[in-house]
């Protein structure tokens, strides 16, 4: 291989100088001129090339770009649907037969309203109840004038029962279906009957799986998976069939195929003495902060005096907690009087994971309270309270479960059914004060035609108020950032409560890109 740095001569020996012919002086001059011209021409060419390259660096280069082809898909607004809880249920018939089959007692009064449009109310198609009385389904189509808008919709039911050993007053909100629901309440000990209701407003079968927890931990029982709820139908299941003798159950309901409206109905009988009835509403997903507005405590001295009697242990007011998972929780419980200058009371509690825990509320004077639960990990909570009126020989007893309320944003609509002393409870979830406007009108009337009454109430940040309400009225509420809302009823031997819930999130436009 040749050495590129020190090339060798082509042949050995002395270098050979080629012979040259003699050049005349004139030829030398012409040659010099030609050489000089070539040098100048070469130099000019180099300069032109440099200038051209430099100029190309400053000139804008052509660019090629293409916008991605896309289409904005706007989902077609669908009907809003809510399903009410249905009539009060019991196991067996008047004659005591069919003790494992559910039957209904009477029919509830349902009230409903919408900020725009007309609601269609109709019963579901089928039920497990032998009497055949089904829950009411409420359907609100999109408004024709503005199909993209989502009007407010609300519905609730109330029912007073005095039938043999089942007496009391119950109220419940008509709720949207969900694929994931938590239920906190009920009992399956002696004299306590708790029924699980599953309503499917959809057009396809719902397959439901249950997870049940008690004070002893998770329940393993046959039949909790693969429960089929037909389209437009209601299933009724006795909780005692899965968890007999449970003092404090919590039920997690999950469905596939179609979503369902799940609830609990509990009745209490103490050695043949009626102890009340209640419909337990759904609880939102586990959270680090939960707010229970409108917990009503009535005649605590009488309650305390009778709670020590055999069979009356569940007469006392308690908070029920459940911590999903395997990590124990530390919770701070704050109880704040509504519409009062009294300072809130805070206590701390340690909650075991995987087991249901109950904490007595203690002694509080008559009134309504907001309960706030803050925990280091997500938990589920609810409260139970009772009323006791009359003497021992003719006492009237009832109870109610109070559950955490979801947050409304900016505006809300609430319906109030018939019942004793109805009250709306408003809890301000934001840190700053809100001046809330509350407009009431008769259900079924147009609030813009002069038949409405508007009041304004100031709610401090983190505070709450209780507003007297009128049966069969609807209430439009605005002027706030975040608000938790509930409705309570209390009378002689009658107690009930339900939370108001906003509509689920509407579908948003989707940008679809094509290759």
């Amino acid at each position: 291989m040749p050495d590129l740095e020190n090339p060798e001569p082509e042949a050995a020996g002395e270098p050979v100088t080629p012979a040259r012919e003699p050049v005349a002086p004139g030829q030398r001059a012409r040659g010099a001129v030609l050489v000089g011209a070539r040098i100048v021409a070469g130099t000019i060419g180099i300069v032109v090339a440099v200038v051209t390259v430099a100029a190309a660096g400053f000139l804008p280069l052509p660019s090629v770009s293409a916008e991605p082809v896309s289409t904005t898909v706007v989902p077609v607004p669908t009907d809003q649907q809510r399903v009410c809880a249905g009539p009060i249920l019991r196991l067996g018939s008047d004659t005591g037969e069919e003790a494992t089959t559910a039957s209904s007692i009477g029919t509830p009064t349902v009230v409903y309203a919408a900020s725009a449009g007309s609601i269609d109310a109709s019963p579901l198609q089928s039920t497990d109840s032998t009497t055949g009385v089904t829950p009411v389904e409420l359907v609100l189509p999109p408004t024709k004038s503005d199909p993209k808008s989502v009007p407010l919709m609300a519905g609730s039911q109330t029912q007073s029962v005095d039938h043999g050993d089942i007496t009391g007053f119950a109220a419940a909100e008509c709720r949207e279906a969900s694929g994931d629901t938590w239920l906190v309440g009920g009992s399956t000990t002696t004299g306590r009957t708790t029924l699980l209701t599953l309503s499917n407003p959809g057009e396809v079968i719902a397959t439901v799986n249950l997870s049940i927890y008690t004070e002893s931990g998770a329940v393993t029982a046959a039949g909790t998976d693969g429960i089929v709820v037909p389209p437009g139908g209601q299933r009724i299941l006795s909780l005692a069939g899965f968890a007999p003798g449970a003092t404090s159950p919590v039920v997690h309901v999950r469905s596939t195929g179609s979503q369902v409206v799940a609830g609990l109905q509990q009745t209490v009988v103490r050695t043949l003495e009626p102890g009340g009835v209640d419909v337990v509403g759904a609880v939102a997903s586990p959270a680090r902060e939960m707010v229970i507005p409108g917990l009503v405590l009535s005649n605590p001295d009488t309650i305390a005096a009778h709670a020590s009697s055999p069979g009356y242990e569940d007469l006392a007011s308690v908070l029920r907690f459940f911590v999903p998972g395997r990590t124990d929780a530390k919770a701070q419980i704050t109880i704040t009087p509504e519409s009062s200058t009294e300072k809130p009371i805070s206590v701390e509690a340690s909650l075991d994971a995987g087991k249901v825990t109950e904490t007595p509320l203690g002694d509080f004077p008559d009134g309504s309270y907001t309960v706030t639960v803050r925990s280091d990990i997500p938990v589920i909570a609810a409260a139970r309270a009772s009323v006791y009126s009359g003497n021992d020989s003719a006492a009237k007893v009832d109870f109610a479960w109070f559950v955490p309320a979801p947050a409304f944003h900016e505006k809300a609509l609430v319906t109030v059914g018939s019942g004793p002393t109805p009250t709306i409870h408003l809890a301000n979830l934001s840190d700053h004060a809100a001046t809330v406007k509350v407009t009431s009108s008769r259900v079924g009337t147009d609030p813009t035609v002069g038949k409405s009454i508007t009041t304004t109430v100031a709610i401090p940040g983190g505070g709450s108020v209780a507003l007297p309400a009128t049966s069969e009225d609807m209430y439009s509420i605005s002027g706030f950032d975040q608000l938790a809302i509930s409705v309570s009823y209390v009378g002689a031997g009658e107690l009930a409560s339900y939370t108001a819930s906003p509509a689920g999130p509407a579908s948003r436009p989707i940008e679809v890109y094509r290759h």
Side-chain angles (χ1 to χ4, degrees):
M1 180 178 294
D3 189 349
L4 298 180
E5 295 183 356
N6 301 298
E8 297 178 356
E10 293 184 0
E14 295 295 329
V16 178
T17 302
R20 296 177 181 173
E21 296 181 2
V23 180
Q27 291 176 331
R28 288 194 187 98
R30 272 196 313 272
V33 170
L34 290 175
V35 171
R38 293 190 187 101
I39 292 175
V40 171
T43 303
I44 293 173
I46 293 173
V47 171
V48 171
V50 171
V51 171
T52 302
V53 173
F58 290 100
L59 292 176
L61 297 176
S63 60
V64 179
S65 62
E67 292 292 333
V69 181
S70 65
T71 302
T72 301
V73 178
V74 180
V76 178
T78 58
D79 297 344
Q80 290 191 59
Q81 288 181 317
R82 288 181 179 255
V83 178
C84 304
I88 298 300
L89 301 167
R90 64 174 178 175
L91 289 178
S93 61
D94 288 337
T95 61
E97 298 177 347
E98 300 178 339
T100 59
T101 306
S103 62
S104 62
I105 304 171
T107 56
T109 300
V110 178
V111 296
Y112 48 88
S115 61
S118 178
I119 295 176
D120 176 36
S122 60
L124 290 181
Q125 300 171 14
S126 64
T127 177
D128 286 345
S129 173
T130 57
T131 54
V133 181
T134 61
V136 173
E137 178 186 5
L138 306 177
V139 178
L140 177 63
T143 56
K144 295 181 180 180
S145 59
D146 186 4
K148 295 182 181 180
S149 67
V150 180
L152 298 177
M153 175 185 181
S156 60
Q157 71 167 54
T158 56
Q159 185 176 0
S160 182
V161 180
D162 188 358
H163 188 89
D165 55 6
I166 299 179
T167 66
F169 180 81
E173 185 197 25
C174 306
R175 303 184 65 90
E176 289 187 336
S178 173
D180 193 295
T181 302
W182 288 86
L183 300 168
V184 182
S187 174
T188 61
T189 58
T190 303
R192 281 72 179 165
T193 301
T194 302
L195 301 177
L196 171 66
T197 60
L198 304 170
S199 298
N200 176 12
E203 298 179 353
V204 299
I205 290 174
T207 303
V208 176
N209 297 329
L210 305 178
S211 298
I212 304 173
Y213 307 90
T214 70
E215 61 278 6
S216 301
V219 173
T220 301
T224 55
D225 291 340
I227 301 169
V228 175
V229 186
Q234 180 196 48
R235 295 295 310 276
I236 304 172
L237 306 169
S238 173
L239 204 59
F242 305 118
T247 301
S248 50
V250 169
V251 184
H252 188 195
V253 181
R254 288 167 292 182
S255 66
T256 57
S258 185
Q259 297 181 329
V260 299
V261 177
L264 295 175
Q265 291 195 23
Q266 181 187 3
T267 57
V268 175
V269 179
R270 299 182 174 94
T271 49
L272 303 181
E273 294 182 4
V277 62
D278 193 42
V279 175
V280 185
V283 180
S285 301
R288 288 184 171 87
E289 181 171 344
M290 310 193 88
V291 176
I292 304 174
L295 171 62
V296 178
L297 301 179
S298 177
N299 204 352
D301 294 337
T302 303
I303 295 294
H306 289 84
S308 58
S309 302
Y312 282 80
E313 295 84 2
D314 56 355
L315 193 67
S317 301
V318 297
L319 286 171
R320 181 177 292 185
F321 299 96
F322 176 68
V323 184
R326 299 181 179 180
T327 304
D328 296 343
K330 293 182 179 179
Q332 183 182 48
I333 306 164
T334 303
I335 303 174
T336 307
E338 291 181 334
S339 305
S340 172
T341 57
E342 296 182 17
K343 294 183 179 180
I345 297 175
S346 294
V347 295
E348 293 184 354
S350 297
L351 308 175
D352 294 336
K355 295 182 179 180
V356 182
T357 303
E358 286 193 350
T359 302
L361 271 173
D363 296 331
F364 287 90
D366 283 11
S368 56
Y369 299 81
T370 296
V371 180
T372 303
V373 178
R374 294 182 176 90
S375 175
D376 56 347
I377 62 173
V379 301
I380 289 289
R384 186 193 66 228
S386 305
V387 292
Y388 190 108
S389 62
N391 52 45
D392 292 343
S393 60
K396 297 183 66 176
V397 183
D398 200 6
F399 68 96
W401 284 95
F402 300 80
V403 302
F408 280 90
H409 297 272
E410 297 181 351
K411 56 184 178 179
L413 182 67
V414 180
T415 57
V416 177
S418 299
T421 321
T423 304
I424 296 178
H425 306 270
L426 307 176
N428 186 1
L429 303 181
S430 64
D431 295 330
H432 55 273
T435 301
V436 178
K437 184 172 71 172
V438 181
T439 301
S440 64
S441 56
R442 207 66 180 165
V443 170
T445 63
D446 186 347
T448 64
V449 299
K451 297 181 180 180
S452 60
I453 300 174
T454 300
T455 58
T456 302
V457 57
I459 310 177
S464 56
V465 299
L467 301 176
T470 302
S471 295
E472 307 290 334
D473 270 12
M474 61 179 179
Y475 292 81
S476 299
I477 305 171
S478 60
F480 60 88
D481 289 336
Q482 294 187 71
L483 209 62
I485 305 173
S486 71
V487 179
S488 70
Y489 302 84
V490 59
E494 294 179 315
L495 182 64
S497 172
Y498 60 85
T499 60
S501 61
S507 300
R508 298 180 178 179
I510 304 172
E511 195 77 10
V512 179
Y513 293 91
R514 293 179 292 175
H515 293 288

